[in-house]
Amino acid sequence: MGVVDKFGLPKPISSVFNWARSYSLWYFQFGLACCAIEVMAVSGPRHDFMRLGIIPLPASPRQADFMIVAGTVTDKMAPSVKRLYDQMPEPKYVISMGSCSNSGGPYWDSYSVTKGVDQLIPVDVYVPGCPPRPEALQEGIILLQKKIRGEDMKEKWLEVQTEPI
Amino acid sequence: MEEFFNKIKENFKDATLEFETINIQIDSTDWIEVHKKLRDEFNLKFFSWLSAIDWDNEVSVGEAPKESVSPSFEIITCLSDLANTNLVTVSTSISKSEPNINSLIEVYDGANWHEREAYEMFGINFENHPNLEKLYLPDGYEGNPMLKSFELISREVKPWPGEVDVEGMPEESESDESSDG
Amino acid sequence: MNHRMVNALDPQNMNRFSEASVSVEIETEDMTLNIGPQHPSTHGVLRLVAKVDGEKVHDVKPVLGYMHRGYEKLAEVRSYPQITTLVNRIDWVAGFSNEIPFIAGAERLMEIDVPERAKHIRLILTEMARISSHFVFNGAYALEVGALTPIFYAMEDRERVLDLIESVTGGRFHPNFNRIGGVKPAAGAGPTSKKNIQDLPAGFYRDTKVAMEKVIQAADQFQNLIGGNEVFKKRTKNVGVLTAETAEAYGVSGPILRASGVKSDLRTQTDYLPYDQFDYDIPVGENGDCYDRWDVRVKEMVESAKIVLQAIDSMPSGPLQAKVPKVIKVPQGRTYVRAENPKGEMGYYIVSDGGLGPYRLKVRTASFSNVSILPIMLEGALLPDLIAIMGSLDFVLGDVDR
């Protein structure tokens, strides 16, 4: 993408691209604990998130756009989280759902819990709650969509730091 | 419950019934025979769980025991009968310096994973166990977490401020009988 | 040389061709397949290391510990009301039913009498938690066997029950509604004074009746839609048979034990909840295969709905919480309390020394013993059967790893 690095994209084109990207997200579900049941409830018929453009369950992380880390991350699971995050291609985003993955949550003093998933991977949106209500998760997704729509492609390509596996 | 307890008391001398739980205290050398007897004669075929308690006077988490105890491990199993309400806990004491005891695999198949967990959490060695290895903790984890001398590092760095009393609502000052905090 | 032209399509020759056998020695090696910790299902992060020979599974080794949060150690540094908030995250699908045996144990050691109205409310909420857990099982099990629609039906029906729980307690599945001595007196609209405490919300009886009727209809629909389906029957009948003796020796409890033919339900032995005032059946299976385990759970949903309908008709009036001191200190003693969770038998062994928190709390969970029979049940099974058998055990990783 040498053109984008050197000259940047003009505003009308980048706003069309960002609009298209924000409404066709395919998320990689990292449902570990109780918050995974809330994610299932959000994908159910009452609070439906397919109307926002989110589709669940890609076949593998290599086809996913963003990742919802829902639940407690333990020290034994931490290498898997990092590895699966690295397997996702750019551009990728992370939503950290629930207080266990925000900062350790009710298990902050345990001997086997990682205090927050942002010690391993960069997080874009934090959704607080234990577990967060389905409406709170929907607001988190809408915030992520707003963030994607306001992105500048040139800056995003230049700040890529992780090497994909 | 009473007649079952009387039957148990005839066969084992150290049996107590408190708070609706029957407890039998035995020596660690009789561990396997007593379990065989309970399984065959008293029909207690359901193996519920096996675990241990660490009795120690110096604790680094929680509160120390009120009366001083001699440091030891207490191993407890719980057996029950599916046809009625009979339930029994069997306990024995082993020393902390040489924590060895026979494994219950030959009597109950289900003791396999429970003993692996006790080995990993307390460091107790079960003899004649087919594969005594870690169950929960990642490879390379040092220490046995459930011992009273194992510290929780997060609490050392920033100690818990204690139970903070929640402020009552302004109109609640007249009625203060039932507690709901 | 004798050549004979044989007509292969002639029916008389078919038998001869099928009897001919080719014997070629092929060297095969077992492949180690890692069914890794992350996979999209309700169970969570369970890892199975399976040795497969083609499609047949030889040896399965479950690797646990990816959700181990250290409950027993954390319980030693917290006080009794704080442990209540921690404990309902063990079996996270049916949150309310984890708190009940722990609170009952503390009340037994303190020798408190719980008022009748509080016991009835606790029973209603426990049965609703059981219905909600079985809905999740129904939807997710059909999804694993291959049907994509039932999970949406199950989620919609479950939302109605969760709405009811939320209107009483404020939380969908981690309510924290129990207090030592009873349940929390809920505040109605207006200032909380003694006269104005409104415990159950207005319209609760009417909404519950409507919701329970719909639960019974939904269970009927599942029986026809899923249970009558030929593909489902072929995938689950005679798959994963478990005998009653193996189940007893390993400590397996709950619907799995009842599907193997043992009529044992701990609700008949629970004396801290008034189950003996109500009329209900205990469904028992015959063969102990996956179909029976699914069938027992669907029938249990109907029985729970009947219990709730009887309970709200006969609700006594009275206080919601017994008088307890402001700072809870439980006297010395030890006790074991057990209850019938939706997944099986759950128990708490509390060793108390007279302090603010217990000296040792041992949590006996149902799924830990249920998962320990996986290596035995999966020997010689095919790989798709592995998924069906694992799903029919209905375990949750918070229960297994604590």
Side-chain angles (χ1 to χ4, degrees):
Chain A
M1 300 287 283
V3 174
V4 177
D5 284 353
K6 273 201 269 191
F7 301 113
L9 275 181
K11 239 353 196 25
I13 300 187
S14 86
S15 68
V16 168
F17 279 174
N18 287 344
W19 171 85
R21 264 189 323 132
S22 72
Y23 281 117
S24 65
L25 291 166
W26 212 3
Y27 83 92
F28 181 60
Q29 178 189 359
F30 215 82
L32 301 165
C34 345
C35 290
I37 310 288
E38 279 293 10
V39 175
M40 277 168 58
V42 177
S43 73
R46 181 157 317 178
H47 320 101
D48 186 12
F49 60 16
M50 287 202 197
R51 60 199 161 109
L52 302 172
I54 317 282
I55 324 174
L57 300 180
S60 81
R62 298 195 191 269
Q63 298 166 350
D65 283 317
F66 76 106
M67 185 157 111
I68 300 186
V69 180
T72 320
V73 180
T74 55
D75 287 340
K76 198 167 180 183
M77 192 67 195
S80 309
V81 176
K82 180 84 176 103
R83 188 192 289 185
L84 286 165
Y85 176 75
D86 286 339
Q87 280 180 353
M88 281 166 55
E90 287 281 342
K92 55 190 173 185
Y93 309 93
V94 175
I95 292 186
S96 159
M97 175 184 177
S99 55
C100 284
S101 61
N102 286 347
S103 66
Y107 312 102
W108 64 279
D109 50 352
S110 169
Y111 51 84
S112 66
V113 166
T114 308
K115 326 257 182 290
V117 80
D118 51 6
Q119 292 183 355
L120 307 165
I121 54 184
V123 173
D124 290 306
V125 176
Y126 294 90
V127 180
C130 192
R133 279 203 58 109
E135 290 89 353
L137 180 61
Q138 284 172 325
E139 178 174 349
I141 293 179
I142 292 178
L143 278 178
L144 180 71
Q145 288 178 334
K146 275 196 200 154
K147 179 176 177 186
I148 296 179
R149 260 176 279 155
E151 270 184 349
D152 188 359
M153 288 288 245
K154 176 178 177 185
E155 279 178 23
K156 182 111 178 127
W157 279 117
L158 287 178
E159 83 180 23
V160 169
Q161 285 155 4
T162 56
E163 290 270 322
I165 298 185
Chain B
M1 174 87 97
E2 284 298 327
E3 24 177 292
F4 181 66
F5 179 54
N6 291 334
K7 230 170 77 161
I8 294 256
K9 246 184 125 87
E10 288 161 20
N11 289 298
F12 307 101
K13 44 185 178 51
D14 279 325
T16 54
L17 169 65
E18 50 170 10
F19 297 112
E20 302 175 35
T21 315
I22 301 178
N23 190 22
I24 305 178
Q25 187 99 18
I26 58 174
D27 275 334
S28 60
T29 46
D30 303 328
W31 193 234
I32 303 236
E33 291 91 39
V34 167
H35 278 93
K36 276 195 181 146
K37 190 169 176 186
L38 286 170
R39 180 189 67 174
D40 299 327
E41 284 182 26
F42 288 88
N43 206 29
L44 293 167
K45 293 205 168 100
F46 187 80
F47 184 79
S48 206
W49 49 270
L50 179 150
S51 187
I53 307 182
D54 180 17
W55 289 106
D56 207 336
N57 287 316
E58 299 171 3
V59 298
S60 57
V61 287
E63 300 168 3
K66 297 245 156 59
E67 308 150 357
S68 88
V69 291
S70 55
S72 63
F73 283 134
E74 186 180 342
I75 307 203
I76 307 182
T77 58
C78 178
L79 313 164
S80 74
D81 190 356
L82 287 176
N84 45 32
T85 64
N86 296 340
L87 182 120
V88 151
T89 60
V90 185
S91 69
T92 181
S93 276
I94 57 178
S95 77
K96 269 187 136 163
S97 47
E98 293 184 354
N100 299 323
I101 193 168
N102 276 326
S103 160
L104 277 180
I105 287 249
E106 49 190 88
V107 187
Y108 290 103
D109 283 328
N112 196 339
W113 278 15
H114 293 262
E115 290 177 351
R116 274 173 75 180
E117 185 192 347
Y119 158 71
E120 170 185 50
M121 292 285 158
F122 289 92
I124 299 177
N125 183 26
F126 290 92
E127 292 155 8
N128 307 328
H129 193 276
N131 64 335
L132 198 66
E133 45 180 41
K134 279 190 197 296
L135 192 69
Y136 282 149
L137 298 171
D139 297 332
Y141 199 94
E142 289 173 6
N144 301 324
M146 280 300 291
L147 291 177
K148 287 286 178 177
S149 53
F150 189 87
E151 293 174 346
L152 287 175
I153 304 186
S154 317
R155 285 201 172 231
E156 302 296 319
V157 168
K158 182 168 182 177
W160 182 247
E163 224 180 277
V164 178
D165 214 4
V166 175
E167 285 180 31
M169 309 272 249
E171 297 88 5
E172 211 181 7
S173 47
E174 70 224 271
S175 67
D176 210 9
E177 279 191 11
S178 71
S179 75
D180 57 353
Chain C
M1 294 247 275
N2 233 349
H3 292 273
R4 262 194 322 158
M5 290 289 282
V6 181
N7 187 1
L9 295 175
D10 191 3
Q12 285 176 351
N13 295 330
M14 289 290 201
N15 293 337
R16 271 199 279 160
F17 283 129
S18 65
E19 275 167 18
S21 65
V22 179
S23 66
V24 176
E25 291 290 327
I26 309 182
E27 283 258 336
T28 55
E29 233 181 52
D30 287 344
M31 179 170 94
T32 308
L33 184 69
N34 184 28
I35 304 176
Q38 195 273 342
H39 45 87
S41 70
T42 45
H43 313 136
V45 282
L46 176 70
R47 179 173 168 209
L48 293 176
V49 180
K51 285 203 162 39
V52 291
D53 174 25
E55 282 268 312
K56 255 181 158 3
V57 171
H58 276 183
D59 181 36
V60 163
K61 197 171 86 123
V63 179
L64 309 179
Y66 288 94
M67 193 38 68
H68 179 67
R69 299 177 275 200
Y71 267 92
E72 302 180 355
K73 186 84 176 175
L74 289 181
E76 293 176 10
V77 289
R78 282 169 173 50
S79 62
Y80 282 91
Q82 288 174 330
I83 298 181
T84 317
T85 70
L86 202 62
V87 150
N88 53 16
R89 284 151 173 88
I90 293 183
D91 173 8
W92 52 63
V93 186
F96 193 80
S97 47
N98 305 317
E99 302 173 21
I100 299 268
F102 176 72
I103 292 278
E107 285 163 357
R108 199 191 267 181
L109 286 174
M110 286 173 79
E111 287 168 353
I112 298 178
D113 274 327
V114 180
E116 283 295 320
R117 191 175 170 93
K119 283 191 194 172
H120 274 240
I121 295 181
R122 281 182 182 175
L123 186 144
I124 290 178
L125 290 171
T126 308
E127 292 303 314
M128 284 191 190
R130 190 185 311 267
I131 295 175
S132 142
S133 164
H134 286 327
F135 265 129
V136 169
F137 164 72
N138 258 317
Y141 190 48
L143 187 67
E144 286 178 13
V145 171
L148 295 176
T149 328
I151 185 157
F152 294 106
Y153 283 85
M155 285 289 135
E156 169 59 35
D157 291 322
R158 182 175 174 250
E159 289 284 332
R160 252 180 250 123
V161 176
L162 286 182
D163 274 348
L164 285 174
I165 298 183
E166 190 192 349
S167 68
V168 176
T169 69
R172 280 154 62 99
F173 37 87
H174 294 318
N176 296 333
F177 194 55
N178 280 310
R179 301 285 182 266
I180 295 210
V183 291
K184 169 175 177 278
T192 32
S193 68
K194 247 171 57 170
K195 282 191 299 186
N196 215 1
I197 289 185
Q198 172 194 6
D199 43 52
L200 290 176
F204 183 69
Y205 296 135
R206 178 194 35 150
D207 290 337
T208 313
K209 281 201 161 95
V210 166
M212 292 299 131
E213 300 289 331
K214 294 223 167 119
V215 163
I216 299 182
Q217 279 175 9
D220 206 23
Q221 198 180 33
F222 282 138
Q223 287 271 15
N224 290 337
L225 187 70
I226 309 179
N229 190 345
E230 279 301 317
V231 176
F232 186 80
K233 278 202 249 191
K234 249 192 141 99
R235 274 202 76 168
T236 52
K237 282 210 174 204
N238 294 326
V239 167
V241 178
L242 181 68
T243 56
E245 291 87 28
T246 322
E248 244 184 287
Y250 274 84
V252 170
S253 57
I256 307 177
L257 190 63
R258 289 198 275 281
S260 297
V262 180
K263 189 161 182 149
S264 142
D265 190 336
L266 288 177
R267 288 184 281 183
T268 52
Q269 303 165 11
T270 309
D271 53 353
Y272 47 87
L273 287 178
Y275 277 108
D276 46 1
Q277 296 177 15
F278 306 115
D279 208 13
Y280 57 98
D281 283 330
I282 301 176
V284 172
E286 291 168 357
N287 299 332
D289 54 12
C290 291
Y291 187 82
D292 277 342
R293 292 194 269 274
W294 172 84
D295 195 38
V296 160
R297 287 189 180 104
V298 173
K299 290 189 176 139
E300 267 186 18
M301 269 196 327
V302 177
E303 301 302 323
S304 293
K306 286 188 198 159
I307 294 180
V308 172
L309 284 173
Q310 291 171 39
I312 55 174
D313 278 335
S314 67
M315 178 86 88
S317 58
L320 286 175
Q321 191 186 10
K323 290 239 173 66
V324 285
K326 206 144 166 76
V327 176
I328 308 260
K329 281 200 185 213
V330 174
Q332 213 175 25
R334 5 167 125 191
T335 180
Y336 179 63
V337 187
R338 55 187 185 163
E340 174 86 15
N341 232 17
K343 312 269 182 302
E345 172 190 329
M346 179 174 210
Y348 290 87
Y349 187 68
I350 307 180
V351 176
S352 159
D353 202 35
L356 282 175
Y359 184 78
R360 167 92 166 98
L361 174 74
K362 157 80 186 167
V363 184
R364 192 265 184 210
T365 51
S367 305
F368 184 65
S369 310
N370 290 354
V371 171
S372 63
I373 55 171
L374 264 184
I376 299 200
M377 284 225 300
L378 290 178
E379 251 187 68
L382 296 176
L383 207 51
D385 288 343
L386 186 149
I387 308 288
I389 295 175
M390 241 176 63
S392 76
L393 288 184
D394 193 24
F395 56 89
V396 165
L397 257 293
D399 233 13
V400 177
D401 284 343
R402 275 169 270 134

